[in-house]
Amino acid sequence: MTAERHRPAPRGAAFLTHVQAVLEGMPRAQQRLGRFAVEHPIAAAQMTITELADSLGTSPATVTRFYRALGLSSYSQLRLELATAAEDRGRAGRDELSGDIHADDSLGTIIEKMTAAYAQMIIESGRFLDAGDLERVARAILAARQVRIFGMGGAGSVARYLQGKLRSLGVPAIAFRDPREAVIDMANAEAGDVFLVISQSGAAEDAEHVLAEAVAREALTVALTSDPGSSIGGRADIVLRSVVREETLRTGVLSTRHVEMWLADCLSAAVLVCRFDESRTALTRVNEALGRVRRSAR
């Protein structure tokens, strides 16, 4: 082993460059580890040493030799360096394609910027979305007598979208845009019902009033918001967090809706898998009914 490999490893995105630079002199099994780490740093950082070894058909001892060859003293240090490098590399990509739209941007550049911005918001939202919370909400929805969804303005469109997804799975769901109508219906809620409120800021006053009524009726309350510390996020039983980044000349309202609809899709998918056979039957019936409608309209 050369002295070069024992030098302290560089930090940040340069760590991945360092890994690539020393790969050639490594044994084949360690080369596989290195290529995987460079290509999938986030995935590698999330694995235990045994999981990483098993995924590449090698042993934990080989992984140990690999990180020591990189100048690291422990596997936890390798995971930290990979996570830091992935974040730095992602930040560099965002810096290159982020920012507002400029007058001299080509349409190709605009497409790249918009694609990167929307993809990054969903990726970051995915990092904050807790699978345990998602399952808890899904199972509560399946056990509820009634599911109510509230959203004002553009969030109301997401509420209707989620209503349609849940109804297609056989879930009794109803969406509201008008706070008065929502409060009237909530007055008949029972303990065990589910109330979902969609508010990007988490500070919509009318939404707070409807949420307060849901709390009073002992419904399970769920907030879809980008601010868990907001008045709505702080009062809800469970928060499903979205990450939204707005630029001056981008349509921030639309970017918010896209991330919220992604959250709605995640939730409906969780409901589907929690009661798979019944949900699949319900979807089949819906598709058959829609097919009959389409045929009769010809």
Side-chain angles (χ1 to χ4, degrees):
M1 190 175 295
T2 65
E4 175 68 18
R5 294 187 197 171
H6 288 292
R7 293 178 182 176
R11 305 297 305 276
F15 177 72
L16 299 180
T17 303
H18 169 65
V19 175
Q20 288 179 308
V22 300
L23 277 181
E24 186 176 350
M26 289 183 170
R28 186 170 300 175
Q30 292 182 38
Q31 288 183 13
R32 288 201 306 273
L33 286 166
R35 283 192 291 270
F36 182 84
V38 170
E39 294 171 5
H40 309 285
I42 295 177
Q46 293 174 340
M47 294 180 180
T48 65
I49 189 170
T50 302
E51 289 171 342
L52 179 59
D54 289 346
S55 69
L56 294 173
T58 188
S59 66
T62 299
V63 178
T64 299
R65 288 191 289 270
F66 169 70
Y67 68 68
R68 286 178 177 171
L70 296 175
L72 305 178
S73 59
S74 67
Y75 183 69
S76 60
Q77 187 181 3
L78 173 63
R79 296 176 70 179
L80 176 61
E81 295 298 343
L82 288 173
T84 302
E87 177 60 25
D88 285 358
R89 187 164 70 178
R91 187 181 300 113
R94 292 195 297 273
D95 289 344
E96 183 179 347
L97 290 175
S98 65
D100 218 334
I101 295 171
H102 304 293
D104 58 350
D105 283 345
S106 68
L107 291 181
T109 298
I110 290 173
I111 291 171
E112 290 181 350
K113 284 185 174 182
M114 298 298 288
T115 301
Y118 281 90
Q120 189 60 37
M121 283 188 288
I122 291 176
I123 289 170
E124 292 185 12
S125 295
R127 291 173 182 167
F128 283 108
L129 185 55
D130 183 88
D133 286 342
L134 192 66
E135 181 178 359
R136 182 184 170 194
V137 175
R139 294 196 180 281
I141 285 173
L142 289 171
R145 181 185 63 90
Q146 181 69 57
V147 176
R148 296 171 177 85
I149 313 163
F150 178 74
M152 297 177 59
S157 299
V158 181
R160 290 293 301 275
Y161 176 76
L162 180 55
Q163 170 192 274
K165 300 284 283 189
L166 293 178
R167 282 185 172 180
S168 295
L169 298 174
V171 173
I174 183 169
F176 298 93
R177 279 186 171 179
D178 184 275
R180 180 179 173 82
E181 291 182 1
V183 168
I184 290 173
D185 192 79
M186 188 59 66
N188 295 309
E190 298 178 358
D193 285 357
V194 174
F195 174 70
L196 298 104
V197 56
I198 304 170
S199 173
Q200 187 264 322
S201 68
E205 186 175 353
D206 285 336
E208 291 181 39
H209 294 158
V210 182
L211 175 60
E213 187 62 28
V215 171
R217 303 303 300 176
E218 299 183 352
L220 177 74
T221 55
V222 183
L224 279 67
T225 180
S226 64
D227 187 358
S230 63
S231 55
I232 289 175
R235 193 165 191 182
D237 295 313
I238 301 174
V239 174
L240 301 180
R241 182 180 177 183
S242 60
V243 175
V244 178
R245 304 187 187 282
E246 299 182 6
E247 301 289 347
T248 307
L249 295 182
R250 288 203 196 119
T251 309
V253 172
L254 287 179
S255 63
T256 299
R257 300 293 86 83
H258 284 132
V259 178
E260 289 170 346
M261 292 179 80
W262 169 82
L263 268 176
D265 281 338
C266 288
L267 182 54
S268 60
V271 170
L272 170 65
V273 299
C274 284
R275 192 178 64 181
F276 188 78
D277 290 339
E278 295 91 334
S279 296
R280 184 171 58 180
T281 298
L283 280 173
T284 299
R285 290 172 178 166
V286 168
N287 290 331
E288 289 173 348
L290 291 174
R292 289 191 293 271
V293 170
R294 285 193 292 267
R295 286 193 296 272
S296 64
R298 291 174 183 172

